[in-house]
Amino acid sequence: MTNVVVLGATSGIAIELLRIFASEGCSLYIAARNPSRLVELTQDLLIRGASATYSYCVDINNISQLQLMINTIKTTMGHIDIAIIAHGTLPDQLRAEIDMDYMLTELNTNGISTIAIASLLANEMQSQKYGSLCVISSVAGDRGRKSNYIYGAAKSAVSVYMQGLRNRLYPNIHVLTVKPGFVDTPMTRRFKKGILWSTPEKVARDIRRAIDKRKDILYTPWFWKWIMVIIKLLPEYLFKRLSL
Amino acid sequence: MSGFISWGKYSNHKLTPLEFYWENELIEITKQNTPMNVSGLRRSYGDVCYTTMGTNLCTKRFSRFIQFDIKTGVLECGSGVTLSDINRVSVPCGWFIPVSPGTKHVSLGGMIANDVHGKNHHKAGSFGNNISELTLYRSVDGKILCSPTVNRELFTNTIGGLGLTGVIVNATVQLKKIASNTLFVEDIPFQNLTQYEEITAESDTSFEYTVAWINAHSISNTTCHGILSRANYVDTRANHLSKATDVRLRVPVTAPNFFLNSFLMKLFNHSYYLAHKNKTEAIKTIDAFFYPLDKVDDWNKLYGKRGFFQYQCVVPMRSGIAVIKELLLWAKKQGQIPYLSVLKKFGATPAVGIMSFPMPGYTIALDFPNNGKRTLQLLNEFDRIILQANGRLYPAKDARMAPSTFQIMYPQFTSFKQYLDPQLTSDFWRRVSV
């Protein structure tokens, strides 16, 4: 039986991913902040086919709590086959430019906490000598632009951290960095949707496949890989003049 | 995010549905005090599932299972759960939706709000007959539990109530025990409508599911070629309840308007009949029998940019067949032969819903490409015929009937109005309620 741990389980992408794992009959450990949503979700996943579901209520920014959570998961499940870190917010860029407390909170939520929890999970997997660790980063971390560089900076830190981790844990542990483009989820509710937008179902299917194939970096949907190739190639003296 | 306004695609108006995941988000949204429409997957053909003025609330993400008792088949879930998901969960456990429409890409809330029917109407009635309880969220008085015993009036007005009595939050359905996930299907050809009447009458006693397809090109005073399909579950444990595998195709782009034309459809209808000219028997899976069109995603794009209308009416038993013949003859005379025609006899089980469409009689669904004024004129003429015969139209398929037509067909309209949630509306409702 496959044991799967998902943090930020109530996020749009995580819900769809969890439903895939549930239909495969996996055993699921889910963590998020809102207790009533966790209860609703565990019930849903059980009916959808999960062989067992456990939940843990946690504020992921409370870093001192995280080791306790990992210990609890470990005791309950025995081992972890797949761990996914999916929590995140989309900061209000303009507010983050003037309100430093807000900026730090957002950097913590989208960057530091992810790195902390990934480190703890990595150590756990290193001692069991197998496992897949999957973190949802973002295409926004590939290059900073004025409309959301606080978010981008946090995700960039995550992506670089994951590169190092992948290098450190090779070859036993699979480390996957997911870089979704625009996805229609609660996080992006206030945006106008267009042709480049994808659905959480589609992104979740891509992630599931990438875990099976032990991919290193996944751009989803696939065309973001090529969009980002171009964006990364633009020389800075040109890029700084653009409004993206 | 979907590109279409509703399944008929006759309008290119764009709308941005507002999705919600959790109940407290729904409550926040309803506080905004703007007019709202609630829909699930917008598979209704006409305008019951959207509003061009106000907010289009979409229940698609409100899709959590709450309870499923494998022993009793009682299922409770959020209104955005799709039939496809319900089948995926329940069929391997030996339970199936008691009444299934012709597509599984519908939401539980949509099935209740339109009180959908299926090929087993003669045995099981419509979907609402199988709902034991539902929760509404009303902008005026918050969350309300309704059932046949609690808040009965609100319950019976919500079933078939076109999503106008409140947002359907959760519902409990009694599923139906099935012996296997395969059906024994017989296809029986008929040459005229009298033969159809006889075969249906005979089949309805011994078969759980019956439906007929008609070649509308063949219609004349004495002939009407068609095929009646009838089916029962294969009763053997050997055909275990395996998970169905999906082979799916997709129509990638909207076809040019001329893609589906009367010549092609004539060819299709004639060859389809010829292929089934002799009685055939087959074992089919649930998916193959109930949802043949679901194999092709977005098949509505085949009609091109103009879109199409589906005209579905029910006519009381006594005059039913004669009236249906009149419709088909009239369409042929006008040179607008429906591309697809499906005929079914409704049984006597009364619907629970006050505004429900099904009633004892014959129902026919006819697909017409939207050729503008010509098509509308034809359908208006149909309305006249149906009104005269005391029949009625199915709101879930309608995009054009006149307010007076609706109000004569649904005289319960006046009493229904007192159960409306003042915040909820649809283009359909604004059109027919004036």
Side-chain angles (χ1 to χ4, degrees):
Chain A
M1 190 172 39
T2 312
N3 288 344
V4 182
V5 176
V6 177
L7 298 121
T10 54
S11 83
I13 294 174
I15 290 175
E16 293 306 325
L17 201 46
L18 279 163
R19 284 178 175 172
I20 297 176
F21 286 121
S23 70
E24 292 172 9
C26 298
S27 180
L28 307 171
Y29 210 120
I30 64 175
R33 201 170 32 184
N34 186 316
S36 68
R37 290 180 181 183
L38 274 175
V39 172
E40 277 187 50
L41 194 56
T42 44
Q43 194 57 21
D44 174 63
L45 294 168
L46 264 185
I47 297 174
R48 285 177 189 265
S51 53
T53 54
Y54 311 94
S55 66
Y56 196 97
C57 191
V58 66
D59 179 353
I60 228 125
N61 277 338
N62 197 339
I63 294 186
S64 58
Q65 272 190 12
L66 298 178
Q67 185 61 55
L68 178 64
M69 177 180 72
I70 302 284
N71 292 345
T72 314
I73 295 174
K74 185 82 183 164
T75 334
T76 316
M77 293 190 121
H79 67 276
I80 302 167
D81 295 294
I82 301 170
I84 292 152
I85 307 177
H87 70 277
T89 54
L90 196 59
D92 175 348
Q93 172 64 29
L94 294 179
R95 185 176 162 199
E97 286 169 18
I98 42 176
D99 180 344
M100 293 306 111
D101 282 338
Y102 176 72
M103 182 192 74
L104 284 176
T105 312
E106 292 302 325
L107 283 176
N108 263 319
T109 309
N110 293 296
I112 306 298
S113 68
T114 306
I115 289 173
I117 190 79
S119 304
L120 297 174
L121 284 164
N123 296 344
E124 209 49 65
M125 287 184 171
Q126 196 171 28
S127 66
Q128 64 180 28
K129 295 198 176 63
Y130 62 87
S132 275
L133 176 62
C134 162
V135 172
I136 300 185
S137 184
S138 169
V139 293
D142 279 11
R143 191 154 195 182
R145 49 197 185 98
K146 67 178 171 192
S147 59
N148 73 342
Y149 62 83
I150 295 300
Y151 181 70
K155 291 299 193 184
S156 177
V158 169
S159 296
V160 172
Y161 169 86
M162 290 292 279
Q163 286 175 343
L165 192 64
R166 184 177 301 115
N167 191 199
R168 170 187 143 198
L169 298 178
Y170 183 82
N172 290 334
I173 317 290
H174 167 221
V175 176
L176 169 64
T177 314
V178 180
K179 297 182 179 179
F182 301 141
V183 189
D184 188 3
T185 65
M187 194 174 93
T188 55
R189 187 167 283 148
R190 56 201 162 87
F191 286 80
K192 227 180 142 66
K193 315 291 190 293
I195 191 149
L196 289 176
W197 286 75
S198 186
T199 62
E201 293 93 324
K202 165 97 181 63
V203 167
R205 279 198 301 270
D206 282 355
I207 295 175
R208 182 68 194 93
R209 213 173 307 124
I211 292 172
D212 261 354
K213 289 188 174 168
R214 295 179 77 87
K215 272 188 100 153
D216 296 326
I217 296 170
L218 168 73
Y219 284 91
T220 164
W222 58 271
F223 53 79
W224 280 97
K225 182 175 179 179
W226 304 106
I227 295 178
M228 295 322 290
V229 163
I230 295 164
I231 288 187
K232 281 192 283 192
L233 276 175
L234 289 176
E236 192 67 10
Y237 88 95
L238 183 69
F239 197 77
K240 72 182 178 194
R241 293 174 164 81
L242 297 178
S243 226
L244 282 171
Chain B
M1 249 187 82
S2 323
F4 58 84
I5 187 162
S6 73
W7 196 244
K9 274 176 70 78
Y10 50 81
S11 158
N12 49 23
H13 189 92
K14 290 269 180 296
L15 47 86
T16 357
L18 184 61
E19 295 173 351
F20 66 99
Y21 279 69
W22 313 95
E23 209 173 299
N24 65 323
E25 294 174 345
L26 165 69
I27 295 168
E28 280 307 308
I29 296 167
T30 50
K31 276 187 193 151
Q32 285 168 7
N33 233 351
T34 50
M36 251 177 25
N37 176 269
V38 196
S39 68
L41 300 189
R42 279 184 289 124
R43 287 297 284 249
S44 297
Y45 289 68
D47 51 1
V48 293
C49 59
Y50 63 84
T51 174
T52 46
M53 280 158 59
T55 305
N56 285 279
L57 193 60
C58 172
T59 61
K60 186 176 160 186
R61 302 287 173 198
F62 193 73
S63 54
R64 277 175 303 280
F65 285 91
I66 298 166
Q67 250 184 71
F68 177 38
D69 187 330
I70 298 181
K71 288 195 195 79
T72 59
V74 173
L75 173 77
E76 186 188 359
C77 43
S79 62
V81 170
T82 63
L83 178 52
S84 167
D85 279 1
I86 293 177
N87 288 351
R88 204 173 297 143
V89 163
S90 73
V91 171
C93 302
W95 296 97
F96 187 51
I97 201 82
V99 167
S100 177
T103 170
K104 55 184 174 175
H105 303 305
V106 289
S107 68
L108 175 64
M111 290 198 284
I112 296 170
N114 294 293
D115 194 11
V116 298
H117 55 270
K119 300 177 170 84
N120 61 344
H121 187 276
H122 59 285
K123 296 272 189 203
S126 50
F127 191 64
N129 293 70
N130 305 280
I131 299 291
S132 51
E133 198 175 276
L134 55 87
T135 318
L136 279 184
Y137 187 83
R138 283 165 61 87
S139 64
V140 271
D141 34 22
K143 215 166 152 181
I144 300 182
L145 183 82
C146 327
S147 77
T149 48
V150 182
N151 293 315
R152 188 187 158 77
E153 282 73 32
L154 199 51
F155 180 75
T156 53
N157 279 281
T158 298
I159 289 172
L162 304 173
L164 297 167
T165 60
V167 181
I168 302 171
V169 182
N170 303 322
T172 308
V173 198
Q174 174 62 59
L175 299 180
K176 157 194 173 56
K177 187 102 201 116
I178 48 172
S180 70
N181 68 341
T182 49
L183 297 106
F184 177 71
V185 187
E186 291 181 15
D187 287 336
I188 302 164
F190 52 85
Q191 274 79 46
N192 55 55
L193 289 169
T194 320
Q195 271 182 21
Y196 162 77
E197 271 186 279
E198 288 164 14
I199 304 171
T200 307
E202 178 224 313
S203 308
D204 280 0
T205 56
S206 46
F207 287 84
E208 234 179 300
Y209 299 100
T210 62
V211 70
W213 166 87
I214 280 178
N215 174 5
H217 289 271
S218 68
I219 190 80
S220 78
N221 251 325
T222 49
T223 50
C224 178
H225 291 171
I227 298 150
L228 182 122
S229 298
R230 55 189 197 186
N232 281 324
Y233 289 97
V234 175
D235 191 7
T236 160
R237 302 287 152 179
N239 271 293
H240 46 80
L241 301 150
S242 58
K243 284 187 188 173
T245 47
D246 262 354
V247 181
R248 285 171 77 174
L249 306 168
R250 170 178 290 273
V251 178
V253 290
T254 301
N257 282 349
F258 58 80
F259 181 76
L260 283 193
N261 53 57
S262 43
F263 173 74
L264 186 73
M265 292 317 287
K266 189 173 177 177
L267 197 70
F268 164 76
N269 278 281
H270 283 314
S271 7
Y272 190 78
Y273 180 72
L274 282 177
H276 292 76
K277 215 172 165 192
N278 299 310
K279 180 177 165 178
T280 52
E281 296 172 352
I283 305 269
K284 289 188 179 177
T285 63
I286 281 183
D287 275 357
F289 178 70
F290 287 98
Y291 318 113
L293 284 172
D294 283 352
K295 276 185 211 139
V296 187
D297 281 347
D298 300 340
W299 60 261
N300 56 348
K301 287 184 185 166
L302 293 174
Y303 276 93
K305 275 209 168 103
R306 63 191 166 169
F308 69 111
F309 293 113
Q310 186 174 89
Y311 190 89
Q312 184 171 2
C313 58
V314 55
V315 191
M317 231 42 113
R318 211 159 37 87
S319 56
I321 291 295
V323 170
I324 281 162
K325 191 174 176 180
E326 194 182 341
L327 294 184
L328 291 170
L329 284 169
W330 183 253
K332 190 171 186 179
K333 198 170 158 208
Q334 298 296 308
Q336 295 192 71
I337 299 173
Y339 283 7
L340 205 60
S341 323
V342 175
L343 183 56
K344 161 84 197 156
K345 186 177 169 184
F346 280 153
T349 316
V352 174
I354 302 291
M355 293 293 285
S356 290
F357 162 69
M359 64 176 181
Y362 290 92
T363 181
I364 190 160
L366 306 167
D367 286 9
F368 294 97
N370 172 16
N371 286 327
K373 223 169 155 187
R374 270 181 73 221
T375 315
L376 293 173
Q377 268 169 2
L378 177 81
L379 302 184
N380 286 340
E381 180 57 24
F382 279 8
D383 288 358
R384 205 186 51 74
I385 299 170
I386 300 302
L387 271 175
Q388 233 166 34
N390 294 319
R392 59 192 183 206
L393 296 192
Y394 192 5
K397 309 282 176 81
D398 181 69
R400 27 76 35 204
M401 76 169 119
S404 57
T405 310
F406 175 76
Q407 290 172 27
I408 299 169
M409 287 175 173
Y410 291 86
Q412 57 281 47
F413 158 81
T414 337
S415 72
F416 173 65
K417 279 204 276 196
Q418 56 183 308
Y419 297 98
L420 294 174
D421 182 327
Q423 193 175 15
L424 298 178
T425 186
S426 63
D427 273 22
F428 174 84
W429 191 248
R430 275 200 303 277
R431 174 162 60 81
V432 301
S433 63
V434 289

